[in-house]
Amino acid sequence: MRLRALLDTDALGLRLLGGEDELDRTVQGVMTTDLRDPSRYLAGGELVLTGLAWRRDAEDSEPFVRTLAGAGVAGVAAGTAEFGYVPEDLVVACARHRMPLFAVHESVAFATITEHVVRQVSGERAGDLAAVVDRHRRLMTSGPTGGGPDVVLDLLRSDLDLRAWVLSPAGRLIAGPKAAGPELPPEVCARLAAEHLSAARVGRHTPHRVLIGPATYSLFPVRGGGRSAQGSRDVRESVLSDWLLAVEADAGDWPEERLDLLQGVTQLIAVERDRREAARTVRRRLAQEILELVQTGAAPAEMAARLRVAAPVLLPGLGAAPHWQVVVARVEWEDGTVDGGQAARSLLEEILVDPLAAGAEPSDRIAVAHTGDEAVALVPLPAVPGGDGTETGIVADTLLESVRDPLSAGLNDDGRLTLGVSAAVHSAEGLRGALEEARHARRVAAARPGRVCAAGHQELASHVLLLPFVPDDVRRAFTARLLDPLRDYDRRHRAELIPTLEAFLDCDGSWTRCASRLHLHVNTLRYRVGRIEQLTSRDLSRLEDKLDFFLALRMS
């Protein structure tokens, strides 16, 4: 706003005492001070409000005004409550430094002037920002990229003093203002993503507001594909793939103009997301071709040739990939009405990126195909100097830990995500085995409880590989035959035979260690084990019977 506009509002009680030729100066803020030297708190462009408590005699006005002029202040408004008038020495000093001077009637509070200026300045900045956002949108939709989400987030920071970040549904930081201070901690990102997904699943009105510690965040969905708020037929089709904009502010009392501006920002970010989505087409096609070659049993030489084509695309500038890993994912909804294949593909493209890596570009090194409700990711592993290439591989437990909480919120109580991770292979011949290994690992994960589960190739060398493939009726019959007699006895006598059996097997049949763990006398433990053997007609000194009990407990 211009200084001249202050005189047009009678409620402010301002009277011009000098500087009429400078009234076209722009006011960028307001500051109230009675310090003799407030320069350290001035950034330039302020309207300075002062009650004149700093003035002890006429000599004080000159240095005070000289300081304000040096800091680039737009103008001075002096209250009349201290002296009943504005001293002439202050008027002279302001004229000497070409500083516009206003007198504030004693009946007008400085807070009234401050509120008016802040409201006007914020409104104008929002208008300026909206114009920039609109220009940026046109640039991005009609030509090369205009700088990505970071540019508009920097505008929010500089023009509206709003810190904002773009996050993935798994809680990874994609973009943020470059000069916003410390970045959001990973645990805060994960919490914001979880809150957003939970709100989206139950259909809460946006923006969602979240209180984390002393800070309030407002969450706006970034919907891709040009969809409107009601554009998707089923929220489950997109909830696990849409980005979100997290603004550190409480948007509950924002005017419609500011909310509209933030919606425009999300639309602009969605343009960039769609652009990057389109850029993945080549990588997806490569992955689909390789997957088809692997599944049809193509010759190793043909697959090797295809990998040589894929490596430069997925690892630009890094040469050929010495190792590859395969990750398989499946998203399943209980009612079966929503196809989970594309959601699984989008999730793999997101969650296989290091959650601490900012930006969307790291996902360019992953090729993901989907067939039916299953997605398959081909992950190249660049060489590690002095290593065998496997040090950079994906570990199922680490992958699970980084995404479980946010994605569980998005899956709510009617969806599941299961993941399987293969070992690294170093040739085309190994890809078929890696694919089968990842699929087996995913089935192992599917046999576990929880909305998001993962298993790695390390687990396929033990009995857990076999358990998911045992038919349900066989599992029930096997566990009932061995464990039901013990459960019935425990219900009638509170004998705790099942916990005793678990502890005995966990202690490898050691009487002393098991008795110590259960805080029992060894004779009491022997009595309980004897009762278990009597009820089941089994002998816990025999390896075969120990193994049967162990598997029954695992399957129950």
Side-chain angles (χ1 to χ4, degrees):
M1 65 177 296
R2 305 289 183 181
L3 278 174
R4 189 181 306 279
L6 295 172
L7 296 173
D8 297 333
T9 306
D10 294 338
L12 299 183
L14 296 178
R15 180 166 53 92
L16 184 65
L17 299 180
E20 185 175 0
D21 294 340
E22 304 294 332
L23 291 182
D24 285 329
R25 291 185 181 184
T26 300
V27 180
Q28 297 180 357
V30 62
M31 177 188 177
T32 300
T33 183
D34 276 313
L35 296 174
R36 302 184 73 179
D37 181 4
S39 57
R40 74 185 71 179
Y41 305 109
L42 297 171
E46 296 92 348
L47 172 67
V48 171
L49 306 177
T50 178
L52 303 179
W54 49 267
R55 181 184 180 277
R56 297 187 182 90
D57 55 47
E59 302 299 322
D60 292 335
S61 293
E62 169 63 27
F64 178 78
V65 176
R66 184 170 62 247
T67 297
L68 300 187
V73 164
V76 178
T80 57
E82 182 77 12
F83 300 106
Y85 59 93
V86 177
E88 184 63 24
D89 47 273
L90 180 59
V91 177
V92 172
C94 286
R96 182 179 298 117
H97 291 281
R98 303 179 62 83
M99 178 67 65
L101 176 62
F102 301 88
V104 183
H105 195 275
E106 62 182 9
S107 64
V108 178
F110 283 176
T112 301
I113 301 174
T114 299
E115 182 181 354
H116 175 82
V117 172
V118 169
R119 186 167 58 248
Q120 295 298 316
V121 170
S122 295
E124 290 180 3
R125 284 183 178 173
D128 292 343
L129 179 60
V132 174
V133 168
D134 185 63
R135 184 169 66 252
H136 198 68
R137 180 189 297 112
R138 291 197 303 270
L139 200 81
M140 292 179 65
T141 54
S142 62
T145 178
D150 305 79
V151 174
V152 73
L153 298 183
D154 283 336
L155 289 172
L156 285 175
R157 176 64 170 165
S158 62
D159 283 21
L160 290 185
D161 197 26
L162 289 176
R163 294 208 310 163
W165 300 266
V166 179
L167 304 177
S168 77
R172 186 173 64 88
L173 180 65
I174 293 173
K178 297 176 182 176
E183 289 186 347
L184 286 179
E187 60 273 15
V188 174
C189 292
R191 170 79 183 281
L192 291 174
E195 294 284 353
H196 169 71
L197 292 175
S198 295
R201 285 304 312 274
V202 299
R204 274 172 38 202
H205 181 70
T206 59
H208 319 308
R209 287 173 287 163
V210 182
L211 180 64
I212 301 180
T216 299
Y217 299 88
S218 297
L219 309 180
F220 298 81
V222 177
R223 297 184 171 96
R227 288 178 288 113
S228 64
Q230 291 81 32
S232 177
R233 292 188 301 273
D234 192 313
V235 68
R236 293 173 297 178
E237 295 177 3
S238 59
V239 68
L240 298 178
S241 58
D242 284 342
W243 291 353
L244 66 136
L245 177 68
V247 182
E248 189 179 8
D250 188 343
D253 57 354
W254 280 6
E256 287 297 325
E257 293 79 6
R258 179 166 287 203
L259 288 173
D260 289 344
L261 173 61
L262 265 294
Q263 293 297 343
V265 169
T266 64
Q267 292 170 13
L268 177 58
I269 296 171
V271 171
E272 178 66 11
R273 184 190 181 284
D274 290 343
R275 185 184 300 281
R276 292 177 179 178
E277 181 80 2
R280 290 173 173 168
T281 303
V282 173
R283 296 187 296 279
R284 288 172 177 171
R285 187 179 301 120
L286 282 172
Q288 199 73 42
E289 291 174 356
I290 294 170
L291 177 62
E292 291 174 1
L293 289 174
V294 170
Q295 290 180 323
T296 56
E302 185 178 359
M303 286 193 290
R306 189 70 64 183
L307 287 178
R308 284 195 295 272
V309 172
V313 175
L314 301 177
L315 294 171
L318 297 180
H323 292 80
W324 301 86
Q325 263 183 297
V326 175
V327 181
V328 172
R330 177 171 290 184
V331 173
E332 299 170 287
W333 304 101
E334 288 183 0
D335 60 11
T337 60
V338 177
D339 178 20
Q342 291 191 15
R345 183 184 65 187
S346 296
L347 279 176
L348 278 187
E349 288 174 335
E350 164 56 36
I351 67 179
L352 293 180
V353 181
D354 182 351
L356 299 181
E361 287 75 13
S363 63
D364 293 351
R365 295 184 178 182
I366 300 163
V368 186
H370 83 90
T371 173
D373 57 359
E374 179 185 75
V376 179
L378 184 66
V379 183
L381 305 177
V384 176
D388 60 2
T390 61
E391 292 89 344
T392 60
I394 297 164
V395 178
D397 288 344
T398 303
L399 182 65
L400 178 64
E401 187 65 26
S402 66
V403 301
R404 178 169 44 204
D405 291 345
L407 295 183
S408 294
L411 292 161
N412 203 352
D413 58 357
D414 62 343
R416 288 199 79 200
L417 167 66
T418 50
L419 300 156
V421 182
S422 79
V425 295
H426 63 277
S427 66
E429 291 90 336
L431 277 181
R432 183 175 182 83
L435 176 59
E436 291 305 313
E437 192 173 56
R439 282 175 168 163
H440 283 312
R442 194 207 62 79
R443 294 190 189 102
V444 170
R448 296 172 175 167
R451 290 293 163 190
V452 181
C453 298
H457 62 92
Q458 303 92 335
E459 302 178 57
L460 302 187
S462 72
H463 65 280
V464 296
L465 172 61
L466 303 176
L467 298 185
F469 308 107
V470 178
D472 288 343
D473 55 345
V474 175
R475 291 158 66 100
R476 285 193 294 270
F478 181 75
T479 57
R481 186 165 57 249
L482 278 175
L483 301 183
D484 278 1
L486 306 183
R487 292 181 179 130
D488 292 341
Y489 192 87
D490 280 348
R491 277 195 295 270
R492 293 196 308 270
H493 303 284
R494 299 182 180 179
E496 297 189 353
L497 296 185
I498 292 288
T500 300
L501 176 62
E502 291 175 334
F504 187 72
L505 295 175
D506 196 40
C507 292
D508 299 323
S510 169
W511 297 98
T512 55
R513 282 197 289 125
C514 183
S516 176
R517 173 180 294 189
L518 296 174
H519 306 289
L520 297 174
H521 192 279
V522 171
N523 289 341
T524 303
L525 176 61
R526 290 185 185 276
Y527 172 80
R528 289 187 182 180
V529 170
R531 179 62 67 184
I532 291 170
E533 292 175 333
Q534 180 185 16
L535 290 169
T536 60
S537 300
R538 296 296 182 110
D539 183 354
L540 277 168
S541 65
R542 298 178 67 246
L543 176 62
E544 293 86 347
D545 288 340
K546 285 180 182 177
L547 181 59
D548 284 347
F549 277 120
F550 177 80
L551 292 174
L553 289 169
R554 282 299 181 94
M555 288 191 293
S556 65

